[in-house]
């Protein structure tokens, strides 16, 4: 058994080095690599399925259920949510031990007060795994589409951890809009989180970016909430994560990504909403453009207006 394990590790390492040498460096001009090396993608998918779906989620679910229906019965709701949130975020174990994903935190993690609203660009299904692992041990309640709660095991843990669901309703013209009947309860809960020092993580674009461009920020709710509670918005940025899980695909693949954080932006109720949104957007853009991987694949510019490959303004 040990020989099989060691042999498997060596084979994986050889395959990874081969992929890194032939594919990782050879990228398209826009930073999105070609979809090659099916064998490695299959191996990465196998790793994800076995560690996440077969081992981690069932184990975490079992521990969370035991806690919730024993010790959790006598604990305040806030404490239960934090404990189950910590159990659920154990998904970062899959990231830390994944031989096919290489993640790097660029720069120093700034000091942030409790009860902040974290915001980042959004490129792939892997973003939740990346942010939770990069922010560890800081725990956030994630704002996510309501369908996440329909995922077996993970959906229950997300609900009990206190994550914030946003429900979208399809319109006659084919577009999707936020269900206003649900968003009221979500915002009320989010406000209580900020008051008691619980962090919130929001992807202000509201959806995945298919081409890497920072899309227009949808809605004002969480900006208004941060201003109302006079807390901090913490800008974050990622790049390369689109190579870990291509948009439109259901399987991950090997890749390298970088993550960084900016200084907290203190906001107040007297601030202008559009000024706050513009300031946060520019901060995220500058953070993303400053990442070494982004410079290598896009260009050296820090101002998006100067970058001919992008039209983010």
């Amino acid at each position: 058994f040990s020989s099989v394990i060691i042999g498997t590790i060596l084979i994986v390492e050889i395959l990874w080095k081969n992929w890194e040498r032939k594919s990782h460096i050879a990228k398209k001009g826009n930073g999105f690599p070609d979809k090659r090396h099916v064998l490695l993608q299959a191996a990465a998918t196998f790793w994800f399925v076995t560690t996440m779906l077969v081992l981690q989620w069932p184990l975490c679910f079992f521990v969370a259920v035991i806690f919730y229906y024993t010790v959790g019965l006598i604990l305040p709701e806030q404490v239960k949510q934090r404990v189950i949130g910590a159990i659920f975020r154990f998904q970062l174990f899959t990231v830390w031990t994944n031989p096919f994903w290489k993640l790097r935190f660029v720069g120093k993690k700034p000091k942030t007060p409790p009860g902040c609203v974290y915001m980042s660009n959004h490129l792939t299904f892997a973003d939740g795994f990346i942010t939770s692992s990069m922010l560890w041990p800081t725990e956030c309640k994630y704002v996510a589409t309501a369908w996440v709660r329909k995922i077996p095991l993970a959906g229950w843990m997300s609900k009990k951890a206190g994550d914030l669901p946003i429900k979208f309703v399809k319109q006659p013209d084919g577009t999707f809009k936020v269900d206003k009947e649900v968003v009221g309860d979500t915002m009320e809960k989010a406000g209580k989180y900020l008051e008691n020092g619980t962090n919130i993580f929001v992807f202000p674009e509201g959806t995945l970016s298919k081409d890497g461009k920072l899309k227009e920020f949808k809605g004002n709710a969480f900006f208004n909430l941060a201003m109302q509670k006079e807390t901090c918005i913490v800008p974050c940025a990622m790049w390369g994560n689109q190579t870990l899980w291509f948009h439109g695909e259901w399987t991950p693949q090997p890749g390298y990504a970088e993550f960084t954080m900016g200084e907290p932006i203190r906001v107040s109720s007297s601030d202008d909403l559009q000024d706050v949104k513009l300031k946060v957007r520019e901060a995220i853009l500058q953070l993303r453009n400053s990442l070494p991987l982004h410079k290598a694949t896009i260009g050296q510019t820090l101002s998006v207006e100067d970058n001919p490959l992008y039209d983010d303004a």
Side-chain angles (χ1 to χ4, degrees):
F1 178 77
S2 299
S3 299
V4 172
I5 295 297
I6 294 174
T8 302
I9 293 175
L10 291 175
I11 292 174
V12 167
E13 181 67 17
I14 292 172
L15 290 173
W16 167 258
K17 292 299 182 182
N18 180 68
W19 180 87
E20 187 177 37
R21 182 172 59 254
K22 292 184 178 180
S23 178
H24 179 61
I25 299 176
K27 295 178 178 225
K28 292 181 179 179
N30 62 0
F32 289 76
D34 294 324
K35 299 180 183 179
R36 295 178 293 177
H37 304 281
V38 178
L39 178 61
L40 274 175
Q41 185 172 4
T45 301
F46 177 78
W47 175 273
F48 179 82
V49 170
T50 53
T51 57
M52 174 64 76
L53 304 184
V54 178
L55 297 177
Q56 183 182 323
W57 276 359
L59 177 61
C60 291
F61 178 76
F62 176 76
V63 174
V65 168
I66 294 299
F67 165 79
Y68 188 83
Y69 290 106
T70 54
V71 180
L73 295 176
I74 61 174
L75 294 177
E77 187 66 21
Q78 180 180 344
V79 177
K80 286 193 293 186
Q81 288 179 342
R82 288 185 176 179
V83 173
I84 295 182
I87 296 173
F88 183 41
R89 309 302 173 210
F90 191 66
Q91 61 187 355
L92 56 86
F93 176 79
T94 303
V95 178
W96 287 347
T97 61
N98 192 338
F100 301 100
W101 286 3
K102 290 190 175 183
L103 306 180
R104 178 190 174 202
F105 191 103
V106 178
K108 295 183 179 180
K109 185 180 294 186
K111 293 183 179 180
T112 56
C116 291
V117 180
Y118 290 73
M119 295 188 177
S120 177
N121 58 327
H122 196 16
L123 296 174
T124 171
F125 292 137
D127 289 352
F129 302 109
I130 296 172
T131 55
S132 60
S133 63
M134 293 290 99
L135 292 176
W136 176 264
T138 301
E139 205 263 335
C140 299
K141 302 306 179 187
Y142 280 75
V143 179
T145 178
W147 71 261
V148 171
R149 293 196 171 184
K150 297 181 180 180
I151 301 176
L153 307 185
W156 183 89
M157 287 188 287
S158 176
K159 179 179 180 179
K160 298 304 181 183
D163 286 340
L164 301 165
I166 298 293
K167 184 178 180 181
F168 293 90
V169 179
K170 191 172 184 179
Q171 304 299 306
D173 60 358
T175 61
F176 288 85
K177 290 187 177 180
V178 174
D179 188 343
K180 295 183 178 180
E181 295 182 1
V182 177
V183 74
D185 294 337
T186 296
M187 297 310 300
E188 181 180 356
K189 183 182 292 185
K192 292 180 180 179
Y193 281 158
L194 296 181
E195 290 175 358
N196 64 35
T198 300
N199 301 306
I200 297 173
F201 201 104
V202 183
F203 295 107
E205 297 166 273
T207 185
L208 297 176
S209 174
K210 297 180 180 180
D211 53 10
K213 296 181 180 179
L214 188 63
K215 301 170 70 69
E216 179 183 355
F217 288 175
K218 291 187 177 180
N220 302 320
F222 287 96
F223 289 97
N224 278 324
L225 182 64
M227 292 165 59
Q228 178 187 349
K229 301 301 179 181
E230 299 194 336
T231 184
C232 292
I233 296 177
V234 183
C236 306
M238 299 173 279
W239 191 253
N241 42 329
Q242 68 271 24
T243 68
L244 307 182
W245 205 323
F246 284 107
H247 186 277
E249 293 191 1
W250 290 96
T251 56
Q253 69 172 29
Y256 170 72
E258 294 176 342
F259 178 91
T260 190
M261 293 172 58
E263 292 295 329
I265 301 173
R266 174 68 66 175
V267 296
S268 68
S269 56
S270 62
D271 292 336
D272 180 77
L273 172 62
Q274 296 306 319
D275 287 345
V276 170
K277 292 180 69 174
L278 182 62
K279 187 174 183 179
V280 173
R281 179 182 176 83
E282 184 62 26
I284 293 176
L285 283 173
Q286 289 191 7
L287 287 169
R288 184 204 64 185
N289 292 354
S290 69
L291 291 171
L293 183 60
H294 186 271
K295 291 181 179 181
T297 56
I298 297 297
Q300 299 292 329
T301 58
L302 290 179
S303 175
V304 65
E305 290 81 2
D306 297 334
N307 197 324
L309 295 176
Y310 273 39
D311 184 21
D312 285 329

